Amino acid sequence: MSFKRLGGLIAQKKNPTVAGLDPRLDHLPPDLRGQVGRDGSLESAAGAILAFNKGLIDALADVVPAVKPQLACYEAFGLPGLAALRETMVYAASKGLYVIADAKRGDIGSTAKAYADAFLGETIVGGSAHRPFPADCMTVNPYLGSEGVLPFVERCRKYSRAVFVLAKTSNASAGELQDRDVEGAPLYRRVAELAAAWGPEYVGLVVGATYPEQLEELRRALPQTFFLIPGYGAQGGGADDVAPGFGPGGARAIVNSSRAISCAWQKSGLPWQEAARAEALRMRDELRQTLKL
């Protein structure tokens, strides 16, 4: 089971942290940003982003169990950006890291199956099987109902992968829809109940650190479901905020930090790889202390 592997890596490193790889050009340190300025092309930008990602992965591979590239940050650079995304995934996997594609895909029928094949399954060409974007897991938007999720779950079962569906997200306007009453319970709770029915072996929830009360509510209701918890660090969440999302012994949850790790060099004055590693270690130790790992 894919979540079993993630849980094993978390236990091995005693660190329930996923490092978000969400690069923008203003996140790059000066030595890499200079590579972009030479010709101003999408290719040079994507090359600098890939170099940044590889450097971060080298600095973090023995500290964090997982990385989470955000697809929009790569799609913005066209085909070179998508090539950088794929190479980032391959490189992270070569270092033993669990790869979560932050895609937030959601569609039905053959379109959903195509998305699922691209990230979780295989594309068959002339009898040869290919993995276009080799992720262990991806985020999925469930607001089209079960038809928008089950094609992904089918691929998870076939290939031992997993999905995190959006339930109570970390952004400020999330409640405009997610908190609406649906027959006596908020919509995010109804989504969580569906996710449990789809199978906690393969289907987890995205629940933001910025809403600790709802995080605690959902953990009580769904003790077996794996949570991906964004909102730590740059969005204001801390270890005390994420703690309610964990099961006994710090189990069944992983906390994302993106800018706080990748952009740590902007505040620390350390070389960028050293700064990222120092921030990842600080976050790990804070979570260990709070969760008593």
Side-chain angles (χ1 to χ4, degrees):
M1 303 300 179
S2 190
F3 281 140
K4 183 176 181 180
R5 177 171 175 252
L6 177 57
L9 288 170
I10 291 170
Q12 175 188 330
K13 296 181 180 180
K14 295 183 179 179
N15 184 11
T17 299
V18 52
L21 299 178
D22 308 350
R24 295 172 175 83
L25 294 185
D26 59 355
H27 293 178
L28 301 181
D31 58 325
L32 293 177
R33 205 177 305 163
Q35 296 180 21
V36 180
R38 285 198 292 269
D39 64 5
S41 68
L42 291 174
E43 287 79 8
S44 64
I49 284 171
L50 179 58
F52 186 48
N53 286 348
K54 285 185 172 181
L56 290 172
I57 289 167
D58 288 341
L60 302 174
D62 65 327
V63 178
V64 303
V67 292
K68 183 175 70 65
Q70 162 52 250
L71 267 65
C73 297
Y74 302 87
E75 291 171 345
F77 296 95
L79 293 178
L82 292 177
L85 170 66
R86 187 180 193 283
E87 288 304 309
T88 294
M89 291 178 164
V90 170
Y91 192 72
S94 76
K95 298 292 184 177
L97 294 171
Y98 187 93
V99 179
I100 302 171
D102 195 356
K104 299 182 177 71
R105 294 292 189 253
D107 216 310
I108 59 174
S110 60
T111 308
K113 291 177 181 177
Y115 281 137
D117 285 338
F119 292 95
L120 303 175
E122 296 177 336
T123 298
I124 307 300
V125 181
S128 298
H130 303 270
R131 295 205 63 202
F133 298 99
D136 298 293
C137 179
M138 68 184 295
T139 56
V140 174
N141 188 332
Y143 288 94
L144 275 75
S146 59
E147 290 175 278
V149 177
L150 291 178
F152 294 93
V153 178
E154 290 170 5
R155 295 304 186 271
C156 290
R157 288 174 176 155
K158 183 175 180 179
Y159 296 102
S160 191
R161 311 206 198 283
V163 293
F164 285 110
V165 301
L166 307 179
K168 180 62 177 172
T169 55
S170 60
N171 56 301
S173 65
E176 292 175 359
L177 292 177
Q178 295 167 16
D179 291 356
R180 292 295 182 102
D181 182 84
V182 179
E183 298 179 349
L187 179 57
Y188 69 79
R189 181 65 179 266
R190 297 304 187 201
V191 170
E193 291 167 355
L194 279 173
W198 292 325
E201 308 98 320
Y202 307 102
V203 184
L205 294 177
V206 177
V207 188
T210 47
Y211 299 101
E213 292 182 6
Q214 288 84 355
L215 185 58
E216 183 174 13
E217 169 204 340
L218 290 171
R219 173 50 70 206
R220 285 199 309 268
L222 302 168
Q224 299 304 313
T225 298
F226 220 111
F227 288 1
L228 169 62
I229 307 177
Y232 182 99
Q235 286 184 273
D240 290 338
D241 299 305
V242 303
F246 284 83
R252 305 207 70 76
I254 191 163
V255 183
N256 178 73
S257 179
S258 298
R259 283 171 289 168
I261 292 176
S262 62
C263 297
W265 65 272
Q266 295 177 341
K267 295 182 178 180
S268 73
L270 292 171
W272 59 275
Q273 286 177 283
E274 291 181 30
R277 182 178 179 84
E279 172 58 21
L281 288 169
R282 186 207 63 77
M283 179 179 174
R284 180 199 68 182
D285 293 345
E286 181 180 77
L287 290 171
R288 281 182 178 179
Q289 182 177 4
T290 300
L291 299 171
K292 297 179 171 50
L293 298 180

